[in-house]
């Protein structure tokens, strides 16, 4: 497994008075956030640093950025958030020329911007729902840029497919945290009156033959595969490894999926860094 040396330490918060991400219930995020989500993202960036170096413009796009700082449940200190870690991982060898970060909460978007600036990044923040801000972010990207989009919503319903369609206008790789927990909670989501809430993430899923014919046990997997095919329809291929992130109770909550288009190297690098984590598709 490729190791990133940069992400292993915790830097002090340049702005301790600014907000911190403590999860939806404000009790602190799970330890899986730094240990799995952030580690995989940063290991991937570090392992791909020579590929990044070849590009005159390197852009990081994060439409669900949070405030740039997290606190893990039970810990007395705070740690860097995903965008800040991503910046620091490449800062020495192939720094992002621009960090484009957004959040529905303007205070969080601004906090992330300030923390990135404190680390020396060139950054622009966007306040608003990702479905809107992504359009402005795409407008900011120069033609000669390689981009990575880190898509990390709390819920599947915010993972609107239109975000991916917008990003597909760019030369971009996608690191997406796909919330399996939402599907878990809707074990019988064929009959769920709220089922429409997945329509934005995967338009047309209710008419898909494989989903319609799937057993109750398999319908969540069929949904996920349908979504992968939708993204594939934009020309992206997913990496073989899609590690599952588990919560403290051992339940799968996210699947970390990586997509690239037109070149195999990023998928191979992702697979290398992700190998060893649980990658079975059977346990949704
Ligand atoms: C999982 S947290 C982000 C954590 C961050 N990516 C990290 O790695 O440190 C999700 C963030 O999305 C924001 N959010 C919720 N709904 C949103 C929406 N529709 N569009 C953009 N941001 C949203 C929340 O305010 C929250 O800060």
């Amino acid at each position: 497994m490729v190791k990133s040396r940069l992400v292993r330490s915790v830097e002090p918060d340049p702005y301790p008075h600014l907000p911190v991400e403590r999860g939806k219930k404000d009790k602190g995020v799970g330890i899986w956030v730094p240990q799995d989500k952030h580690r995989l993202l940063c290991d991937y960036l570090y392992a791909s640093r020579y590929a990044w170096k070849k590009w005159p413009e390197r852009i990081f796009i994060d439409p669900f950025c949070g405030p740039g700082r997290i606190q893990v449940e039970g810990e007395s200190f705070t740690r860097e958030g995903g965008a800040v870690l991503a910046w620091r991982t490449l800062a020495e060898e192939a720094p992002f020329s621009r960090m484009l970060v957004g959040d529905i909460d303007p205070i969080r978007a601004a906090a992330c911007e300030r923390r990135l600036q404190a680390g020396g990044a060139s950054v622009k923040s966007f306040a608003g729902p990702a479905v809107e801000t992504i359009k402005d972010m795409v407008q900011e990207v120069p033609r000669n840029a390689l981009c990575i989009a880190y898509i990390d919503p709390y819920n599947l319903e915010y993972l609107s497919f239109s975000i991916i369609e917008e990003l597909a206008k760019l030369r971009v790789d996608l690191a997406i945290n796909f919330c399996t927990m939402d599907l878990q909670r809707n074990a019988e989501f064929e009959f769920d009156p709220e089922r429409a809430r997945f329509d934005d993430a995967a338009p047309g899923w209710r008419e898909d033959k494989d989903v319609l014919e799937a057993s109750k046990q398999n319908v969540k997997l069929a949904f996920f595969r349908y979504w992968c095919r939708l993204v594939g329809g934009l020309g992206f291929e997913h990496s073989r490894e899609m590690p599952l992130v588990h919560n403290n109770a051992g339940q799968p909550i996210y699947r970390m999926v990586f997509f690239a288009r037109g070149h195999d190297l990023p998928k191979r690098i992702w697979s290398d860094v992700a190998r060893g984590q649980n990658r079975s598709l059977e346990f949704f």
Side-chain angles (χ1 to χ4, degrees), residues 1-70:
M1 187 134 150
V2 183
K3 297 272 184 236
S4 156
R5 58 193 162 83
L6 291 172
V7 77
R8 305 299 179 216
S9 60
V10 177
E11 290 289 307
D13 187 356
Y15 295 109
H17 62 285
L18 291 182
V20 170
E21 163 70 18
R22 293 192 176 87
K24 277 186 282 187
K25 294 180 184 157
D26 205 34
K27 282 166 52 187
V29 301
I31 188 66
W32 63 85
V33 173
Q35 274 181 4
D36 296 325
K37 268 176 28 174
H38 289 167
R39 193 187 57 168
L40 184 52
L41 174 69
C42 295
D43 281 355
Y44 168 75
L45 290 173
Y46 188 67
S48 59
R49 62 197 182 283
Y50 298 116
W52 283 105
K53 261 186 185 175
K54 295 183 185 151
W55 286 83
E57 299 284 342
R58 301 174 283 268
I59 313 285
F60 184 87
I61 300 174
D62 182 350
F64 299 91
C65 65
R69 199 83 195 172
I70 62 165

Side-chain angles (χ1 to χ4, degrees), residues 180 242-246 252 254-256 277-280 283:
T180 59
M242 306 173 174
L244 274 174
V245 176
H246 294 84
Y254 284 102
R255 191 175 279 288
M256 299 185 65
Q277 303 197 28
N278 180 350
R279 61 195 156 97
S280 163
F283 302 103

Side-chain angles (χ1 to χ4, degrees), residues 191-243:
F191 310 107
D192 186 337
E194 277 190 87
R195 62 190 178 177
R197 73 194 187 92
F198 298 126
D199 287 2
D200 240 18
W205 70 273
R206 280 189 267 159
E207 287 82 50
D208 181 65
K209 188 170 150 292
D210 292 343
V211 177
L212 288 173
E213 288 175 3
S215 65
K216 258 185 197 176
Q217 206 185 352
N218 286 335
V219 71
K220 291 165 290 201
L221 186 55
F223 177 90
F224 176 67
R225 288 192 165 138
Y226 173 74
W227 176 77
C228 285
R229 285 203 302 280
L230 274 188
V231 182
L234 298 172
F236 292 97
E237 290 178 22
H238 61 74
S239 67
R240 231 158 48 84
E241 275 70 19
M242 306 173 174

Side-chain angles (χ1 to χ4, degrees), residues 21 23-24 29 33 37-38 41 62-70 79-85 102-106 108-109 112 126-133 150-155 157-159 163 177 254:
E21 163 70 18
K24 277 186 282 187
V29 301
V33 173
K37 268 176 28 174
H38 289 167
L41 174 69
D62 182 350
F64 299 91
C65 65
R69 199 83 195 172
I70 62 165
R79 302 170 181 253
E80 291 142 302
V84 177
L85 283 170
D103 201 284
I104 198 160
D105 178 343
R108 287 175 158 236
C112 192
F126 301 79
V131 281
E132 295 300 328
T133 58
Y150 171 53
I151 316 278
D152 183 27
Y154 285 139
N155 302 93
E157 62 189 288
Y158 301 126
L159 182 58
I163 296 173
N177 293 331
Y254 284 102

Side-chain angles (χ1 to χ4, degrees), residues 79-99:
R79 302 170 181 253
E80 291 142 302
V84 177
L85 283 170
W87 161 255
R88 191 152 69 88
T89 299
L90 287 189
E92 281 175 25
E93 296 189 63
F96 285 110
S97 30
R98 200 99 163 108
M99 303 287 291

Side-chain angles (χ1 to χ4, degrees), residues 159-213:
L159 182 58
S160 172
F161 189 65
S162 66
I163 296 173
I164 303 172
E165 285 178 311
E166 198 62 38
L167 285 164
K169 295 174 181 170
L170 305 172
R171 186 174 181 99
V172 66
D173 299 327
L174 310 168
I176 302 181
N177 293 331
F178 182 95
C179 311
T180 59
M181 193 71 164
D182 280 352
L183 298 183
Q184 200 78 19
R185 285 200 202 101
N186 286 266
E188 298 186 38
F189 72 113
E190 272 177 289
F191 310 107
D192 186 337
E194 277 190 87
R195 62 190 178 177
R197 73 194 187 92
F198 298 126
D199 287 2
D200 240 18
W205 70 273
R206 280 189 267 159
E207 287 82 50
D208 181 65
K209 188 170 150 292
D210 292 343
V211 177
L212 288 173
E213 288 175 3

